[in-house]
């Protein structure tokens, strides 16, 4: 298929060729009123969703997994993951779904000794989970400083923690520690996206790049105006065509969007701080905040899907073509807006889910 799949309390798919939505069957066995979407992946022949039970029987029993087939028909259930998370991300490696995250309280503080990181892989063919060694991430125990972010480069997993260190994982060699990212901040969600062989990371309006070739972090200077102090910055990369990182930040109730050209970043990151010439202002789709925005790359354009809580009647999206610098809207989804969603592109391009933290 080549559609935008969205789950947000209901499930639907948007077709860019017809500019229409179609409602999908609802996996009521798991995704009910007592659950929220956490993360998900497109494998090339199915969507795998990880859900979060809001009122689990036990603290270690709050996740479940279901899937939609290639035609987005519903549904196949998988065994629950081998641990519980309140904060997690999923990545498709080509033969398994990696699930990494942490079990945190409402302040972002780890609930358990291994709360700073948990990793497992699901083989969708056998339906078997493999629990891997926990990432060797260390950070302070203060509120907001237990949040993990990660990215799959195609060969390895890079993970890091706010106010902490970083680590690299491969299935053959396991974990190895990496230097601490040059960013810090309280109560912010770290975010990460792959650009070529490198990793672009953001925290509290700060940015840095992990260079695989140089095996070190480089600070990236962000625009001075407007000030980037918000937690709500979402980077997503077009690494298949033009090598751009598209960054959207919610500032003062609206959005400001910037684009970073990775080719310029490649040339300037070795002198710190990087020059501002790499940043370019993008069109602003609407004055909707990013708490409930999900962004995907379709192989041709960035697709933004947004809403503002359960009372919002309109729940729509926009497409942005980085080659033509043109933004266009598409019809409202066939349900009211809700907090938190998983959005995935089900086309040929690799789809990575980007969404806001659970509310």
């Amino acid at each position: 298929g080549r559609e935008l799949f969205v789950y947000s309390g209901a499930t639907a798919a948007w077709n860019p060729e017809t500019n229409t939505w179609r409602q999908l069957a609802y996996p009521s066995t798991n995704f009910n009123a007592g659950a929220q979407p956490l993360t998900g992946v497109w494998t090339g022949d199915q969507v795998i969703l990880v859900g979060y039970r809001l009122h689990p029987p036990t603290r270690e029993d709050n996740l479940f997994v279901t899937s939609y087939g290639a035609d987005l028909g519903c549904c196949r259930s998988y065994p629950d993951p081998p641990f519980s998370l309140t904060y997690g991300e999923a990545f498709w490696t080509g033969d398994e779904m990696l699930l990494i995250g942490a079990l945190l309280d409402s302040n972002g503080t780890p609930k358990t000794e291994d709360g700073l990181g948990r990793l497992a892989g699901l083989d969708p063919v056998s339906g078997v989970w493999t629990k891997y060694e926990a990432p060797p991430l260390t950070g302070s125990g203060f509120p907001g400083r237990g949040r993990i972010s990660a990215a799959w480069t195609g060969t390895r997993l890079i993970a890091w923690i706010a106010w902490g260190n970083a680590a690299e994982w491969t299935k053959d060699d396991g974990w190895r520690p990496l230097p601490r990212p040059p960013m810090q901040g309280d109560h912010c969600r770290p975010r990460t996206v792959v650009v070529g062989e490198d990793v672009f990371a953001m925290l509290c309006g700060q940015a840095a790049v992990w260079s695989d070739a140089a095996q070190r972090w480089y600070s990236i200077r962000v625009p001075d105006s407007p000030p980037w102090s918000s937690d709500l910055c979402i980077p997503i990369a077009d690494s298949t065509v033009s090598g751009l990182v598209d960054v959207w930040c919610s500032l003062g109730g609206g959005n400001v969007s910037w684009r970073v050209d990775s080719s310029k970043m490649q040339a300037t990151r070795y002198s710190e701080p990087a020059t501002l010439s790499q940043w370019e202002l993008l069109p602003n789709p609407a004055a909707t905040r990013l708490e409930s925005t999900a962004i995907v790359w379709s192989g041709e354009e960035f697709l933004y899907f947004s809403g503002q809580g359960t009372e919002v009647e309109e729940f729509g999206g926009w497409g942005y073509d980085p080659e033509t610098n043109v933004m266009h809207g598409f019809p409202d989804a066939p349900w009211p807006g809700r907090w938190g969603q998983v959005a995935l592109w089900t086309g040929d391009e690799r789809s990575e889910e980007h969404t806001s933290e659970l509310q």
Side-chain angles (χ1 to χ4, degrees), residues 86-87 104 147 189 191 231 291 340 355-359:
T86 51
Y87 188 91
L104 309 176
R147 294 183 171 94
R189 174 171 182 170
R191 298 185 186 271
D231 172 22
E291 288 97 331
T355 186
S356 60
E357 186 174 353
L358 289 174
Q359 301 298 314

Side-chain angles (χ1 to χ4, degrees), residues 10-35:
T11 312
W14 174 72
N15 187 321
E17 295 184 359
T18 62
N19 195 28
T20 57
W21 288 93
R22 63 184 177 109
Q23 192 99 29
L24 301 177
Y26 188 69
S28 56
T29 301
N30 287 326
F31 285 85
N32 50 40

